[in-house]
Amino acid sequence: MTGRSLQGVTLLGGTGSIGASTLDVLAAHPDRYRLHDVSGSSRVDELLAICIRWQPRYAVVAVTRDEASLRRRFAEAGFKGQLLIGPDALERIAQDPDSDIVVAAIDRKSTRL
């Protein structure tokens, strides 16, 4: 895309199969897309791996019992973005005005606390 900046993608449900396929598309087109925001439900290890590789601006974990430990874990692993937690955070990234594309690959149960 000559003369244009990368399109930012918000990926709701980055740890599932549709999320993995979406990341494959982004990886195949690094000149067109960047991962701007990503969420995961309970697969924290997978979400952390995505965050380390892609360094999105925001990462959202929909459900957690130990927020302080989770924040420390992401920071110590080298994630430089901001970790947000809970369904309100999911809504926040879904409406992020700095993102150009939203891929929604989640279901209702993944947003319950």
Side-chain angles (χ1 to χ4, degrees):
M1 294 181 73
T2 307
R4 294 188 62 194
S5 61
L6 299 177
Q7 290 190 315
V9 176
T10 294
L11 177 53
L12 307 176
T15 60
S17 61
I18 295 171
S21 294
T22 301
L23 292 171
D24 287 344
V25 171
L26 271 59
H29 300 283
D31 58 324
R32 297 181 68 183
Y33 305 107
R34 65 181 168 76
L35 184 63
H36 189 270
D37 308 310
V38 64
S39 75
S41 180
S42 59
R43 296 181 185 165
V44 175
D45 292 336
E46 290 95 335
L47 183 62
L48 179 56
I50 291 167
C51 289
I52 297 309
R53 176 168 187 232
W54 294 90
Q55 291 295 329
R57 180 176 175 191
Y58 296 111
V60 172
V61 175
V63 180
T64 186
R65 298 198 193 318
D66 189 357
E67 188 173 325
S69 174
L70 190 61
R71 289 186 188 285
R72 187 171 46 256
R73 183 175 171 200
F74 272 63
E76 289 173 355
F79 177 52
K80 298 185 184 359
Q82 186 174 356
L83 181 63
L84 307 173
I85 297 172
D88 291 340
L90 192 62
E91 185 176 327
R92 177 179 171 182
I93 67 168
Q95 297 177 19
D96 189 339
D98 294 328
S99 182
D100 301 299
I101 299 167
V102 175
V103 177
I106 59 173
D107 58 33
R108 287 181 287 164
K109 68 182 176 186
S110 66
T111 62
R112 291 187 200 136
L113 288 175

